[in-house]
């Protein structure tokens, strides 16, 4: 999807995040037998943020207010809101997107909920771009994500293979025209999907009449184990993940005019930020996939956040925009951010610091 030039106006982003101040430490989970030493080594993360109070949508409101404040905009200026999530939002039959809009003062916005699993931020950003391109005078768009992986319905440490889940929320204000100070310019956003892989997260024997009918807690290990057996094993699946990641990143760099950026000392791409899925996944999937396209350094910023459900992409953008952070993108510099989610869907965004 093109994001500027002749195809449409340039789009700027002001990202932010809100993480709970409390956390569960890896060392404590290991001592309690919730994880093994092998799993801890493969992940390489120090802790997971854990909300002991705010629900997912309430965290989204906090992140949204931060993004609006940094953009210098009141909620009433927002023309649309896209809210994404992967897990339970606190009520069974309800629209969390409307809650976030109401609590941020975006009363003239049209709220939309996005459930595209861990690529939720990429999907919400894609929807926002379509809207900004189709209605360039319609006002800025607010994007939020939030997840809280609380028991008894979810075991953040042991509910999935190779993924540890942290609580938190992210947000971004997206607009056209004059960019606020410190904004990122979105140079490209490309998304690919492979719907034939959807059964990795589905019980293939039957559909269920209500949540947690099959098991008291979400059990991604059960569905993934059956899926991998049917697909020819783990290595075949990892190969597919690498190929799709390479393809989506190559397309995004081409769209941004950065073909081969970083190769041969070109140095135009400062980094590629990865989904927060741990040391082993970065080594076995994302590192080799990125190396097919660019020799720019890769980074997994999940050491103190874990995987933020739908929020990894926006959290990584917030790190690039943070003037006080170690991953700050220098003025004029470019970086790529990767995202992936069950289904499967992959997104790659390329941004430049204005």
């Amino acid at each position: 999807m093109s994001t500027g030039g002749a195809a449409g106006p340039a789009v700027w982003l002001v990202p932010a995040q809100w993480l709970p101040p409390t956390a569960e430490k890896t060392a404590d989970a290991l001592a309690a037998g919730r994880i093994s030493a092998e799993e801890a080594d493969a992940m390489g993360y120090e802790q997971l943020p854990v909300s002991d109070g705010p629900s997912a949508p309430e965290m989204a409101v906090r992140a949204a207010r931060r993004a609006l404040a940094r953009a210098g905009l009141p909620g009433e200026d927002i023309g649309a809101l896209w809210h994404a999530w992967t897990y339970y939002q606190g009520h069974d039959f309800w629209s969390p997107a409307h809650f976030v809009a109401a609590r941020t003062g975006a009363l003239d916005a049209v709220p939309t909920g996005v459930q595209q699993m861990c690529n939720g931020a990429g999907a919400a950003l894609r929807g926002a771009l379509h809207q900004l391109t189709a209605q360039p005078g319609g006002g800025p768009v607010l994007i939020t994500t939030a997840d809280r992986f609380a028991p008894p319905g979810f075991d953040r440490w042991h509910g999935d293979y190779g993924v540890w889940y942290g609580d938190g929320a992210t947000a971004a204000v997206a607009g056209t025209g004059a960019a606020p100070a410190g904004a990122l310019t979105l140079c490209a956003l490309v998304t690919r999907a492979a719907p034939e892989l959807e059964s990795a997260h589905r019980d293939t024997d039957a559909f269920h009449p209500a949540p947690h009918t099959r098991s008291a807690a979400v059990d991604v290990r059960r569905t993934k184990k059956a899926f991998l057996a049917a697909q020819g094993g783990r290595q075949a699946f990892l190969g597919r993940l690498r190929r799709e990641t390479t393809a989506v990143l190559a397309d995004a760099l081409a769209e941004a005019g950065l073909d081969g950026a970083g190769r041969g000392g070109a140095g135009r791409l400062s980094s590629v930020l990865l989904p927060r899925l741990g040391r082993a996944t970065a080594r076995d999937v994302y590192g080799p996939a990125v190396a097919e396209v660019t020799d720019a350094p890769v980074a997994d910023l999940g050491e103190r956040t874990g995987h933020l459900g739908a929020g990894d992409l926006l959290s990584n953008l917030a790190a690039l925009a943070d003037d006080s952070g170690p991953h700050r993108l220098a003025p004029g510099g470019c970086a790529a951010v990767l995202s992936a989610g069950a289904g499967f869907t992959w997104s790659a965004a390329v941004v430049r610091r204005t």
Side-chain angles (χ1 to χ4, degrees):
M1 173 175 185
S2 184
T3 58
V11 173
W12 51 259
L13 298 170
V14 177
Q17 69 177 6
W18 187 88
L19 301 179
T22 54
E24 293 182 3
K25 302 292 187 181
T26 300
D28 294 335
L30 183 59
R34 300 182 68 182
I35 56 174
S36 68
E38 182 181 12
E39 289 170 325
D41 181 67
M43 192 60 58
Y45 288 171
E46 176 185 335
Q47 66 177 34
L48 300 178
V50 175
S51 174
D52 58 4
S55 68
E58 289 170 324
M59 291 191 289
V61 170
R62 299 181 187 196
R65 288 172 177 167
R66 285 186 177 180
L68 288 167
R70 290 174 183 176
L73 294 172
E76 52 262 32
D77 284 2
I78 297 300
L81 182 143
W82 295 72
H83 176 66
W85 67 92
T86 67
Y87 185 57
Y88 189 61
Q89 296 289 287
H91 293 281
D92 294 335
F93 199 64
W94 175 66
S95 173
H98 287 72
F99 174 89
V100 176
R103 293 300 178 93
T104 54
L107 301 182
D108 293 326
V110 177
T112 302
V114 178
Q115 223 293 339
Q116 203 187 69
M117 300 301 287
C118 300
N119 192 55
L125 181 57
R126 188 169 185 264
L129 288 178
H130 281 298
Q131 181 152 347
L132 289 168
T133 301
Q135 298 177 311
V141 177
L142 179 61
I143 303 155
T144 61
T145 79
D147 278 295
R148 183 188 182 201
F149 300 98
F154 206 104
D155 183 342
R156 69 180 70 250
W157 297 96
H158 196 69
D160 198 351
Y161 285 123
V163 188
W164 290 352
Y165 294 83
D167 298 344
T170 68
V173 180
T176 58
L184 302 173
T185 297
L186 186 62
C187 303
L189 177 67
V190 172
T191 296
R192 295 170 60 91
E196 67 272 20
L197 303 180
E198 55 80 25
S199 61
H201 293 75
R202 173 172 61 85
D203 284 320
T204 55
D205 55 348
F207 283 86
H208 311 307
H212 301 295
T213 302
R214 175 68 184 270
S215 57
V218 173
D219 187 356
V220 187
R221 294 187 177 217
R222 181 183 69 244
T223 61
K224 280 188 176 178
K225 184 176 181 180
F227 171 81
L228 292 175
Q231 292 289 320
R234 180 173 179 270
Q235 291 307 314
F237 181 57
L238 293 183
R240 178 69 184 274
L241 298 183
R242 285 191 292 267
R243 291 191 298 274
E244 295 290 349
T245 299
T246 295
V248 76
L249 178 60
D251 288 349
L253 293 181
E255 186 174 288
L258 296 172
D259 282 4
R263 287 203 181 280
R268 291 191 296 162
L269 191 67
S270 68
S271 62
V272 180
L273 301 188
L274 309 179
R276 300 175 183 192
L277 302 174
R279 177 189 296 154
T281 302
R283 179 194 65 221
D284 298 338
V285 176
Y286 288 103
V290 171
E292 291 288 329
V293 184
T294 174
D295 57 14
V298 299
D300 177 345
L301 308 188
E303 181 181 2
R304 296 179 62 82
T305 71
H307 179 50
L308 293 172
D312 282 3
L313 186 149
L314 292 187
S315 184
N316 283 337
L317 290 178
L320 293 173
D322 183 0
D323 284 334
S324 62
H327 299 282
R328 171 184 180 270
L329 189 59
C334 292
V337 179
L338 295 173
S339 176
F344 272 71
T345 313
W346 295 263
S347 290
V350 179
V351 295
R352 182 179 70 251
R353 186 69 182 264
T354 53

